[in-house]
Amino acid sequence: MRTAFVLLAFVTQAASSVPRTIPEKVIDLDAAPSERWQASVHEVVTKYGFEGSFGPLLDYIDSLNEKTWTLVELVASELEKHVPSEYAEEMRGVANTARDMGYGKELPLSTIVGVNLLYEFSTFCTSIVCVDASNRIWHARNLDWSFDGDSMRNITIVANFHKGGVSVFKTITWVGYIGAMTGMRHGAFSVTADERKPSDGIFSVGIALERMIFQHSRSVGFLMRDVLSTNATYGDALKTLAGAPLASSVYFILGGLTGNEGAVITRKEFSVDVWSIPNGPEPWFVLETNYDHNTNAPPQDDRRDLGISAMRKMGQAGISASNLMGVLGTPAANGSRGVFNSETVYSVIMNSGQDYFNGSTWQ
């Protein structure tokens, strides 16, 4: 009954918003990188058509200015210089699959590279890590994105990465997006990325691309996939996320297994701030939207205070998957957009220690 109540609450909070189960696809890490995404690309294009899957997303990519697109093409022309060779081959595989389906002109390698730099373009999110009364860590996340239409929902999948026939980690991603913005490594940690604006308030895609090209800085999405692939513990992940050179500012929200293993890692232009449980709004959780935790959020987008109020109302004793989904469903109030709003693409609850990973898209 509780789950049904939560889903009903979501439906009533935004016009035409109903939950849809996210399809899960196995990505076989033992397969050749160029073959790993073939089936998923073929399936979404066959099911929704090219315009209903990749079309509106490409409209956004095509709107980039000439300088930015020149930099994207430069990265694509020297791909192994800027991204791990494994990821370069996966992107080529996506482009080759599109070509074989008759969409090579619409979805060339340069466009696939542009898609894979989406964090460097724009995203808004709410992420929460909390510890329940039984000392277990939970991680809740809404991803908001301002693309037109349902294209992001149509290409959203749970990518289940297998090695030796065993699931190693999962992400919620988009078909063709090789990196990660939301993921969980089984029995180890969960991690999400929330956008952070630079200190001057201007988010420059061009600057981020120039850092990748000339300073060998890492893309946020590719770094997160590296962490999920290679880091075996919360401590290892925290060290990597706090220390790797990055092309963009970002908030990494990291959850472990027990106790105080929950942190917001604020990667600024020239410094790092780690804000951990028990130093959050309450000693049992931290919450991040898209503003530094020690500064005020703008009143028209104070998802932080709305989320904090909902967490306090739920209480530590009330932490559960369904109740956290209710927090993610907090509607607009007091002139602020809601934690759940018209741009929310998906919501997910993760608990690595309990091997729990459950999310929905909204349409």
Side-chain angles (χ1 to χ4, degrees):
M1 290 297 292
R2 173 60 187 171
T3 300
F5 173 80
V6 171
L7 294 181
L8 178 61
F10 265 96
V11 171
T12 61
Q13 285 164 14
S16 303
S17 291
V18 295
R20 184 168 74 183
T21 300
I22 303 174
E24 183 168 312
K25 306 297 178 184
V26 171
I27 306 299
D28 186 1
L29 295 173
D30 294 315
S34 61
E35 300 174 357
R36 293 173 184 170
W37 298 88
Q38 286 178 345
S40 296
V41 173
H42 192 276
E43 182 173 331
V44 297
V45 173
T46 300
K47 184 173 182 178
Y48 299 108
F50 188 82
E51 286 302 317
S53 53
F54 294 102
L57 176 61
L58 300 190
D59 290 341
Y60 180 84
I61 298 296
D62 289 344
S63 71
L64 297 175
N65 63 48
E66 183 177 352
K67 177 183 177 181
T68 298
W69 193 248
T70 298
L71 292 170
V72 170
E73 290 182 322
L74 180 58
V75 172
S77 69
E78 304 175 329
L79 202 49
E80 277 81 2
K81 287 185 178 181
H82 310 296
V83 304
S85 59
E86 178 183 14
Y87 303 161
E89 283 304 304
E90 289 188 19
M91 285 187 277
R92 289 194 179 95
V94 172
N96 290 342
T97 302
R99 178 201 62 200
D100 294 344
M101 296 184 71
Y103 298 105
K105 182 179 179 180
E106 292 86 351
L107 206 61
L109 179 61
S110 58
T111 298
I112 296 297
V113 172
V115 168
N116 275 273
L117 300 176
L118 279 173
Y119 172 81
E120 276 68 32
F121 293 154
S122 178
T123 178
F124 294 90
C125 314
T126 300
S127 295
I128 304 165
V129 175
C130 56
V131 56
D132 67 17
S134 298
N135 207 36
R136 299 171 299 191
I137 294 290
W138 294 83
H139 196 148
R141 180 318 196 265
N142 274 355
L143 184 136
D144 304 341
W145 212 302
S146 56
F147 289 106
D148 293 332
D150 288 335
S151 64
M152 300 302 285
R153 297 167 177 87
N154 289 345
I155 62 175
T156 299
I157 62 170
V158 174
N160 190 344
F161 290 83
H162 279 219
K163 184 76 173 176
V166 177
S167 178
V168 180
F169 64 95
K170 292 182 177 182
T171 68
I172 296 184
T173 190
W174 305 284
V175 174
Y177 185 78
I178 305 306
M181 291 189 193
T182 301
M184 184 184 82
R185 185 176 174 101
H186 300 293
F189 58 85
S190 53
V191 60
T192 55
D194 288 10
E195 182 193 14
R196 181 182 184 273
K197 298 290 186 187
S199 57
D200 60 8
I202 301 173
F203 189 90
S204 172
V205 180
I207 290 174
L209 291 171
E210 287 173 350
R211 288 172 179 165
M212 288 185 64
I213 295 168
F214 301 114
Q215 300 176 17
H216 305 292
S217 298
R218 301 295 307 279
S219 164
V220 167
F222 293 146
L223 176 63
M224 278 188 51
R225 177 159 165 192
D226 278 354
V227 166
L228 288 160
S229 300
T230 63
N231 288 174
T233 68
Y234 171 88
D236 290 342
L238 181 62
K239 182 177 179 180
T240 302
L241 294 169
L246 283 177
S248 307
S249 297
V250 66
Y251 303 104
F252 291 120
I253 300 85
L254 182 65
L257 300 177
T258 61
N260 294 335
E261 290 187 341
V264 175
I265 306 160
T266 302
R267 293 296 305 269
K268 305 179 183 181
E269 292 88 334
F270 306 108
S271 63
V272 179
D273 175 78
V274 179
W275 183 49
S276 302
I277 298 173
N279 299 312
E282 298 290 344
W284 47 275
F285 76 90
V286 289
L287 184 152
E288 179 57 58
T289 56
N290 303 102
Y291 309 98
D292 290 4
H293 68 88
N294 54 359
T295 63
N296 294 325
Q300 71 273 16
D301 186 26
D302 202 354
R303 288 167 288 131
R304 177 202 296 164
D305 278 357
L306 292 176
I308 289 172
S309 295
M311 288 293 289
R312 286 172 171 158
K313 183 176 180 179
M314 176 187 65
Q316 186 177 22
I319 294 175
S320 67
S322 59
N323 286 349
L324 285 170
M325 192 64 83
V327 171
L328 293 180
T330 302
N334 303 322
S336 170
R337 66 189 272 183
V339 176
F340 181 69
N341 57 76
S342 61
E343 295 181 352
T344 300
V345 175
Y346 67 74
S347 304
V348 62
I349 307 297
M350 300 176 283
N351 183 317
S352 182
Q354 303 295 309
D355 202 27
Y356 184 90
F357 189 99
N358 189 35
S360 296
T361 55
W362 303 98
Q363 61 177 7

